Amino acid sequence: MNLSLRRNPTARTPAVLVALALLTTAGCAGNDDGPPAATTTTSATPHGYVAGAQESAEQQSRLLLSDPGTGQTRVLDLITGKTHRAAPRPGTERLTTDGRFGYFHAADGTHVLDGGAWMVDHGDHVHYYRAAIRDVGRMSAGAGARVRSDTALTAVTGEDGRAVLHARADLEKGGVGTPRTLPGTYAAPVVPYAEHLLTLAGDGKGAPEAVVLDRAGGRSVSLRVTCEDPAGDAVTRRGVVFGCADGALLVREDDGRFTAERIPYGRDVPARERAVSFRHRAGSDTLTAPAGDRAVWVLDVTDRTWRRVETGPVVAANTAGEGAPLLVLETDGTLHGYDVATGARTARTERLLAPRRAADNGASGPVLEVDRSRAYLNDPAGRRVYEIDYNDGLRVARTFDLDLEPRLMVETGR
């Protein structure tokens, strides 16, 4: 395999010493060389210790990459710049992630790959881990399965609306375990959240309503708020968002009490311009979605507001939120940055990808993955991935040359 890494001389250098100092202040044991060793004065398990994993002072980002045509699969370590081979997954139609595991969706089932990088958020501090990359196994749900996870459960909802639960601990140990089937069918993905399960359900005679299930699948709360023609969902710090015909529905928990709140568009929106698939930075409360072919919706969950940004022909869009620019890959192959508040374009790259039509994107077209400091854009035809510093005028910080066409890409370690 031929791999070359071209680095911009101004690319970032992690502030490891500062981060280590912050972790020490927060009372988190650990170091960059491996799990903390036991001391001679205590046998207690150190705070944050995970067997078989190495705790690190910074986010351990990795990209999972797949070429559906050949089945080739790679894991690109964004810390070292090295790629790792994984078992081929021919027939993969979609690739999704929950921040650690990659889910390769194919007609014969969903294959699970442990990307070996993840984070644990304790609210006042965060732990970052890295471990071996390994195959986990195959789930029976097919290409259209929707996988949602929290720290304890992974819920898999099939195209037929039936859902099963996998114990997260089984996946972490390297196997899919024995799934537990939930009763009934659902009109949206089942989402583990706040020690419950959130979804939309109905009798087929009207719009489904938001429901809260217990971990066994029994109905805990009926929120009596409906969501007509649901499409798209996202988990944010403010709650779980479901896309609806008239906007969005936010379901959240506060001190054990669940509520559902509508966030309407505030205008008539044609069906073809609805937000039906959300993209955002993990942990952010700002969501993006195409608004037809020539604009992007930005949903601020904190302020409960929609904003439509007129951009031009859209191939892919995303944002880190919280004052960061809206990033839009347009059909001419250039990446554009927009000020969300004003809609004004603030930056533009040279052509990075070959021109394409917006309608050509589909499930295996270019995507934008965004974390707290960088964005990643896959170029299938060029066999490369670009790392973009979106806080520095969309500067191309690094270019990773690959030995496969990375038509599918997700970022883990978040």
Side-chain angles (χ1 to χ4, degrees), residues 19-147:
L20 280 171
L22 290 174
L23 283 175
T24 302
T25 301
C28 300
N31 56 57
D32 283 342
D33 299 321
T39 69
T40 57
T41 58
T42 179
S43 60
T45 301
H47 173 65
Y49 174 80
V50 175
Q54 175 183 338
E55 186 171 359
S56 299
E58 63 168 346
Q59 181 171 297
Q60 300 297 294
S61 298
R62 292 174 177 174
L63 297 179
L64 308 188
L65 306 162
S66 175
D67 180 353
T70 65
Q72 293 182 84
T73 302
R74 301 287 185 270
V75 180
L76 171 59
D77 190 320
L78 295 169
I79 302 298
T80 66
K82 297 180 180 179
T83 58
H84 306 268
R85 291 178 180 268
R89 294 298 177 207
T92 299
E93 298 180 22
R94 295 167 50 242
L95 174 59
T96 61
T97 186
D98 56 15
R100 173 175 177 175
F101 297 94
Y103 300 96
F104 294 74
H105 304 276
D108 66 345
T110 296
H111 295 266
V112 187
L113 175 68
D114 186 346
W118 70 97
M119 62 170 281
V120 177
D121 189 347
H122 288 291
D124 61 340
H125 65 280
V126 178
H127 294 270
Y128 299 107
Y129 298 98
R130 60 189 295 123
I133 301 163
R134 60 180 176 179
D135 290 312
V136 174
R138 173 182 168 275
M139 297 174 171
S140 60
R146 295 155 293 177
V147 182

Side-chain angles (χ1 to χ4, degrees), residues 334-353:
T334 62
L335 183 65
H336 300 246
Y338 291 88
D339 184 291
V340 174
T342 66
R345 189 174 68 190
T346 58
R348 176 182 177 178
T349 67
E350 61 183 8
R351 180 177 292 171
L352 300 177
L353 277 65

Side-chain angles (χ1 to χ4, degrees), residues 59-407:
Q59 181 171 297
Q60 300 297 294
S61 298
R62 292 174 177 174
L63 297 179
L64 308 188
L65 306 162
S66 175
D67 180 353
T70 65
Q72 293 182 84
T73 302
R74 301 287 185 270
V75 180
L76 171 59
D77 190 320
L78 295 169
I79 302 298
T80 66
K82 297 180 180 179
T83 58
H84 306 268
R85 291 178 180 268
R89 294 298 177 207
T92 299
E93 298 180 22
R94 295 167 50 242
L95 174 59
T96 61
T97 186
D98 56 15
R100 173 175 177 175
F101 297 94
Y103 300 96
F104 294 74
H105 304 276
D108 66 345
T110 296
H111 295 266
V112 187
L113 175 68
D114 186 346
W118 70 97
M119 62 170 281
V120 177
D121 189 347
H122 288 291
D124 61 340
H125 65 280
V126 178
H127 294 270
Y128 299 107
Y129 298 98
R130 60 189 295 123
I133 301 163
R134 60 180 176 179
D135 290 312
V136 174
R138 173 182 168 275
M139 297 174 171
S140 60
R146 295 155 293 177
V147 182
R148 307 291 184 264
S149 302
D150 67 2
T151 57
L153 290 177
T154 293
V156 184
T157 309
E159 290 183 288
D160 59 2
R162 299 186 181 279
V164 299
L165 301 179
H166 291 262
R168 184 78 170 182
D170 289 337
L171 301 183
E172 293 170 352
K173 293 175 183 176
V176 298
T178 302
R180 179 161 50 88
T181 302
L182 295 179
T185 59
Y186 306 98
V190 172
V191 182
Y193 173 78
E195 300 183 0
H196 289 73
L197 304 170
L198 305 185
T199 188
L200 303 173
D203 56 10
K205 298 180 181 179
E209 67 175 14
V211 296
V212 181
L213 310 176
D214 60 31
R215 292 290 184 157
R219 187 165 298 200
S220 177
V221 179
S222 293
L223 298 174
R224 303 186 184 280
V225 179
T226 60
C227 177
E228 184 178 350
D229 193 18
D233 65 282
V235 179
T236 75
R237 289 184 179 273
R238 304 288 177 178
V240 177
V241 174
F242 295 99
C244 310
D246 61 351
L249 185 65
L250 173 64
V251 183
R252 60 195 306 258
E253 179 266 347
D254 184 16
D255 197 23
R257 179 174 177 267
F258 288 87
T259 58
E261 178 182 354
R262 295 184 186 278
I263 309 177
Y265 289 118
R267 65 176 81 176
D268 291 332
V269 175
R272 63 183 180 83
E273 296 182 5
R274 278 186 52 198
V276 297
S277 179
F278 296 109
R279 303 278 298 175
H280 71 306
R281 175 181 61 79
S284 169
D285 296 324
T286 305
L287 310 182
T288 67
D293 292 337
R294 302 185 63 85
V296 174
W297 287 112
V298 179
L299 172 58
D300 187 323
V301 181
T302 301
D303 292 340
R304 315 290 201 269
T305 57
W306 291 91
R307 192 177 299 273
R308 180 186 169 103
V309 180
E310 303 294 336
T311 60
V314 180
V315 174
N318 209 334
T319 184
E322 301 172 4
L326 168 66
L327 305 179
V328 181
L329 175 67
E330 301 194 5
T331 54
D332 62 358
T334 62
L335 183 65
H336 300 246
Y338 291 88
D339 184 291
V340 174
T342 66
R345 189 174 68 190
T346 58
R348 176 182 177 178
T349 67
E350 61 183 8
R351 180 177 292 171
L352 300 177
L353 277 65
R356 61 189 298 124
R357 295 181 303 172
D360 292 338
N361 191 34
S364 60
V367 297
L368 282 163
E369 289 285 339
V370 178
D371 59 30
R372 288 187 177 275
S373 62
R374 296 290 191 265
Y376 297 92
L377 171 65
N378 58 323
D379 177 8
R383 294 190 167 212
R384 62 175 68 95
V385 170
Y386 295 103
E387 180 182 77
I388 308 294
D389 185 346
Y390 54 78
N391 289 317
D392 188 15
L394 306 186
R395 175 176 59 88
V396 177
R398 293 187 289 180
T399 300
F400 301 94
D401 293 326
L402 305 167
D403 66 344
L404 82 166
E405 295 184 10
R407 296 191 175 277

